[in-house]
mmCIF file of all heavy atoms in Angstrom:
data_model
loop_
_atom_site.group_PDB
_atom_site.id
_atom_site.type_symbol
_atom_site.label_atom_id
_atom_site.label_comp_id
_atom_site.label_asym_id
_atom_site.label_seq_id
_atom_site.Cartn_x
_atom_site.Cartn_y
_atom_site.Cartn_z
ATOM 1 N N LYS A 18 20.827 15.289 -2.877
ATOM 2 C CA LYS A 18 19.693 16.143 -3.188
ATOM 3 C C LYS A 18 18.913 15.586 -4.413
ATOM 4 O O LYS A 18 17.694 15.482 -4.511
ATOM 5 C CB LYS A 18 20.227 17.434 -3.609
ATOM 6 C CG LYS A 18 20.692 18.420 -2.368
ATOM 7 C CD LYS A 18 19.528 19.284 -1.931
ATOM 8 C CE LYS A 18 19.992 20.228 -0.838
ATOM 9 N NZ LYS A 18 18.946 20.975 -0.274
ATOM 10 N N LYS A 19 19.751 15.144 -5.347
ATOM 11 C CA LYS A 19 19.186 14.718 -6.687
ATOM 12 C C LYS A 19 18.372 13.422 -6.494
ATOM 13 O O LYS A 19 17.298 13.308 -6.948
ATOM 14 C CB LYS A 19 20.338 14.662 -7.634
ATOM 15 C CG LYS A 19 19.757 14.287 -9.102
ATOM 16 C CD LYS A 19 20.934 14.259 -10.040
ATOM 17 C CE LYS A 19 20.429 13.695 -11.509
ATOM 18 N NZ LYS A 19 21.659 13.590 -12.276
ATOM 19 N N PHE A 20 19.170 12.402 -5.909
ATOM 20 C CA PHE A 20 18.593 11.059 -5.929
ATOM 21 C C PHE A 20 17.577 10.796 -4.817
ATOM 22 O O PHE A 20 16.860 9.953 -4.868
ATOM 23 C CB PHE A 20 19.774 10.043 -5.967
ATOM 24 C CG PHE A 20 20.471 10.008 -7.122
ATOM 25 C CD1 PHE A 20 21.860 10.312 -7.192
ATOM 26 C CD2 PHE A 20 19.783 10.006 -8.459
ATOM 27 C CE1 PHE A 20 22.452 10.374 -8.412
ATOM 28 C CE2 PHE A 20 20.602 9.937 -9.610
ATOM 29 C CZ PHE A 20 21.839 10.159 -9.676
ATOM 30 N N LEU A 21 17.668 11.507 -3.862
ATOM 31 C CA LEU A 21 16.798 11.349 -2.624
ATOM 32 C C LEU A 21 15.486 12.180 -2.562
ATOM 33 O O LEU A 21 14.836 12.153 -1.668
ATOM 34 C CB LEU A 21 17.542 11.423 -1.292
ATOM 35 C CG LEU A 21 18.775 10.541 -1.296
ATOM 36 C CD1 LEU A 21 19.293 10.497 0.138
ATOM 37 C CD2 LEU A 21 18.490 9.104 -1.767
ATOM 38 N N TYR A 22 15.519 13.182 -3.533
ATOM 39 C CA TYR A 22 14.586 14.302 -3.377
ATOM 40 C C TYR A 22 13.165 13.826 -3.249
ATOM 41 O O TYR A 22 12.278 14.292 -2.613
ATOM 42 C CB TYR A 22 14.838 15.252 -4.484
ATOM 43 C CG TYR A 22 13.942 16.582 -4.276
ATOM 44 C CD1 TYR A 22 14.535 17.444 -3.302
ATOM 45 C CD2 TYR A 22 12.861 16.771 -4.834
ATOM 46 C CE1 TYR A 22 13.837 18.658 -3.007
ATOM 47 C CE2 TYR A 22 12.106 17.943 -4.594
ATOM 48 C CZ TYR A 22 12.609 18.917 -3.638
ATOM 49 O OH TYR A 22 11.906 19.977 -3.360
ATOM 50 N N SER A 23 12.880 12.686 -4.115
ATOM 51 C CA SER A 23 11.454 12.213 -4.289
ATOM 52 C C SER A 23 11.047 11.835 -2.775
ATOM 53 O O SER A 23 9.804 11.801 -2.627
ATOM 54 C CB SER A 23 11.520 11.091 -5.084
ATOM 55 O OG SER A 23 12.234 9.941 -4.672
ATOM 56 N N ASP A 24 11.886 11.465 -1.925
ATOM 57 C CA ASP A 24 11.396 10.963 -0.690
ATOM 58 C C ASP A 24 12.041 11.727 0.453
ATOM 59 O O ASP A 24 12.458 11.199 1.442
ATOM 60 C CB ASP A 24 11.875 9.517 -0.557
ATOM 61 C CG ASP A 24 10.945 8.697 0.296
ATOM 62 O OD1 ASP A 24 10.022 9.178 0.658
ATOM 63 O OD2 ASP A 24 11.280 7.531 0.682
ATOM 64 N N HIS A 25 12.165 13.025 0.315
ATOM 65 C CA HIS A 25 13.067 13.805 1.199
ATOM 66 C C HIS A 25 12.429 13.958 2.566
ATOM 67 O O HIS A 25 13.181 14.327 3.600
ATOM 68 C CB HIS A 25 13.527 15.147 0.596
ATOM 69 C CG HIS A 25 12.491 16.173 0.322
ATOM 70 N ND1 HIS A 25 11.188 15.690 0.143
ATOM 71 C CD2 HIS A 25 12.427 17.476 0.161
ATOM 72 C CE1 HIS A 25 10.440 16.799 -0.198
ATOM 73 N NE2 HIS A 25 11.183 17.920 -0.055
ATOM 74 N N GLU A 26 11.108 13.587 2.833
ATOM 75 C CA GLU A 26 10.600 13.691 4.176
ATOM 76 C C GLU A 26 11.256 12.673 5.175
ATOM 77 O O GLU A 26 11.122 12.900 6.421
ATOM 78 C CB GLU A 26 8.999 13.545 4.159
ATOM 79 C CG GLU A 26 8.604 12.203 3.612
ATOM 80 C CD GLU A 26 7.083 12.018 3.794
ATOM 81 O OE1 GLU A 26 6.424 13.031 3.442
ATOM 82 O OE2 GLU A 26 6.640 11.049 4.186
ATOM 83 N N ILE A 27 11.941 11.733 4.601
ATOM 84 C CA ILE A 27 12.401 10.731 5.528
ATOM 85 C C ILE A 27 13.571 11.144 6.320
ATOM 86 O O ILE A 27 14.028 10.384 7.243
ATOM 87 C CB ILE A 27 12.820 9.333 4.842
ATOM 88 C CG1 ILE A 27 13.943 9.639 3.699
ATOM 89 C CG2 ILE A 27 11.545 8.672 4.252
ATOM 90 C CD1 ILE A 27 14.588 8.382 3.285
ATOM 91 N N PHE A 28 14.170 12.383 6.115
ATOM 92 C CA PHE A 28 15.286 12.844 6.860
ATOM 93 C C PHE A 28 14.853 12.842 8.282
ATOM 94 O O PHE A 28 15.704 12.482 9.199
ATOM 95 C CB PHE A 28 15.612 14.270 6.329
ATOM 96 C CG PHE A 28 14.793 15.395 7.004
ATOM 97 C CD1 PHE A 28 15.095 15.931 8.189
ATOM 98 C CD2 PHE A 28 13.543 15.696 6.347
ATOM 99 C CE1 PHE A 28 14.340 16.944 8.762
ATOM 100 C CE2 PHE A 28 12.760 16.764 6.870
ATOM 101 C CZ PHE A 28 13.109 17.315 8.116
ATOM 102 N N LEU A 29 13.499 13.127 8.633
ATOM 103 C CA LEU A 29 13.204 13.185 9.962
ATOM 104 C C LEU A 29 13.158 11.792 10.677
ATOM 105 O O LEU A 29 13.715 11.603 11.770
ATOM 106 C CB LEU A 29 11.781 13.761 10.250
ATOM 107 C CG LEU A 29 11.361 14.377 11.553
ATOM 108 C CD1 LEU A 29 12.377 15.453 11.976
ATOM 109 C CD2 LEU A 29 10.014 14.971 11.570
ATOM 110 N N ARG A 30 12.750 10.876 9.889
ATOM 111 C CA ARG A 30 12.792 9.522 10.425
ATOM 112 C C ARG A 30 14.139 9.031 10.802
ATOM 113 O O ARG A 30 14.386 8.430 11.783
ATOM 114 C CB ARG A 30 12.147 8.575 9.232
ATOM 115 C CG ARG A 30 12.148 7.064 9.664
ATOM 116 C CD ARG A 30 11.884 6.147 8.547
ATOM 117 N NE ARG A 30 12.922 5.940 7.618
ATOM 118 C CZ ARG A 30 12.853 5.141 6.425
ATOM 119 N NH1 ARG A 30 11.676 4.598 6.144
ATOM 120 N NH2 ARG A 30 13.805 4.969 5.742
ATOM 121 N N GLU A 31 15.044 9.378 9.821
ATOM 122 C CA GLU A 31 16.496 9.022 9.988
ATOM 123 C C GLU A 31 17.201 9.633 11.265
ATOM 124 O O GLU A 31 17.798 8.940 12.046
ATOM 125 C CB GLU A 31 17.324 9.309 8.798
ATOM 126 C CG GLU A 31 16.832 8.507 7.527
ATOM 127 C CD GLU A 31 17.056 7.004 7.611
ATOM 128 O OE1 GLU A 31 18.119 6.587 8.228
ATOM 129 O OE2 GLU A 31 16.123 6.322 7.292
ATOM 130 N N LEU A 32 16.904 10.906 11.322
ATOM 131 C CA LEU A 32 17.633 11.547 12.458
ATOM 132 C C LEU A 32 17.059 11.165 13.882
ATOM 133 O O LEU A 32 17.815 11.007 14.795
ATOM 134 C CB LEU A 32 17.379 13.146 12.307
ATOM 135 C CG LEU A 32 18.137 13.687 11.043
ATOM 136 C CD1 LEU A 32 18.010 15.239 11.063
ATOM 137 C CD2 LEU A 32 19.699 13.303 11.099
ATOM 138 N N VAL A 33 15.702 11.058 13.880
ATOM 139 C CA VAL A 33 15.037 10.680 15.168
ATOM 140 C C VAL A 33 15.449 9.197 15.458
ATOM 141 O O VAL A 33 15.754 8.825 16.604
ATOM 142 C CB VAL A 33 13.427 10.770 15.078
ATOM 143 C CG1 VAL A 33 12.807 10.198 16.345
ATOM 144 C CG2 VAL A 33 13.246 12.318 14.966
ATOM 145 N N SER A 34 15.495 8.315 14.480
ATOM 146 C CA SER A 34 15.905 6.896 14.632
ATOM 147 C C SER A 34 17.338 6.864 15.222
ATOM 148 O O SER A 34 17.654 6.038 16.088
ATOM 149 C CB SER A 34 15.870 6.178 13.328
ATOM 150 O OG SER A 34 14.447 6.073 12.917
ATOM 151 N N ASN A 35 18.308 7.670 14.623
ATOM 152 C CA ASN A 35 19.595 7.747 15.092
ATOM 153 C C ASN A 35 19.694 8.178 16.575
ATOM 154 O O ASN A 35 20.317 7.579 17.426
ATOM 155 C CB ASN A 35 20.409 8.742 14.329
ATOM 156 C CG ASN A 35 20.766 8.241 12.950
ATOM 157 O OD1 ASN A 35 20.626 7.057 12.767
ATOM 158 N ND2 ASN A 35 21.370 9.003 12.131
ATOM 159 N N ALA A 36 18.847 9.114 16.930
ATOM 160 C CA ALA A 36 18.794 9.594 18.395
ATOM 161 C C ALA A 36 18.257 8.513 19.199
ATOM 162 O O ALA A 36 18.775 8.323 20.415
ATOM 163 C CB ALA A 36 17.843 10.838 18.532
ATOM 164 N N VAL A 37 17.262 7.737 18.718
ATOM 165 C CA VAL A 37 16.702 6.603 19.599
ATOM 166 C C VAL A 37 17.841 5.539 19.689
ATOM 167 O O VAL A 37 18.002 4.925 20.760
ATOM 168 C CB VAL A 37 15.444 6.040 18.913
ATOM 169 C CG1 VAL A 37 14.978 4.598 19.540
ATOM 170 C CG2 VAL A 37 14.286 7.009 19.017
ATOM 171 N N ASP A 38 18.542 5.224 18.660
ATOM 172 C CA ASP A 38 19.589 4.197 18.702
ATOM 173 C C ASP A 38 20.708 4.726 19.774
ATOM 174 O O ASP A 38 21.151 3.801 20.568
ATOM 175 C CB ASP A 38 20.285 4.066 17.440
ATOM 176 C CG ASP A 38 19.412 3.453 16.409
ATOM 177 O OD1 ASP A 38 18.466 2.725 16.784
ATOM 178 O OD2 ASP A 38 19.720 3.445 15.127
ATOM 179 N N ALA A 39 21.031 5.889 19.722
ATOM 180 C CA ALA A 39 22.010 6.364 20.721
ATOM 181 C C ALA A 39 21.621 6.203 22.063
ATOM 182 O O ALA A 39 22.333 5.834 23.088
ATOM 183 C CB ALA A 39 22.390 7.780 20.426
#
Side-chain angles (χ1 to χ4, degrees):
K18 287 264 186 189
K19 183 177 174 189
F20 293 121
L21 305 190
Y22 193 76
S23 62
D24 206 10
H25 62 335
E26 66 178 37
I27 61 165
F28 81 92
L29 198 59
R30 176 186 82 180
E31 296 300 319
L32 297 181
V33 175
S34 296
N35 286 350
V37 168
D38 287 345

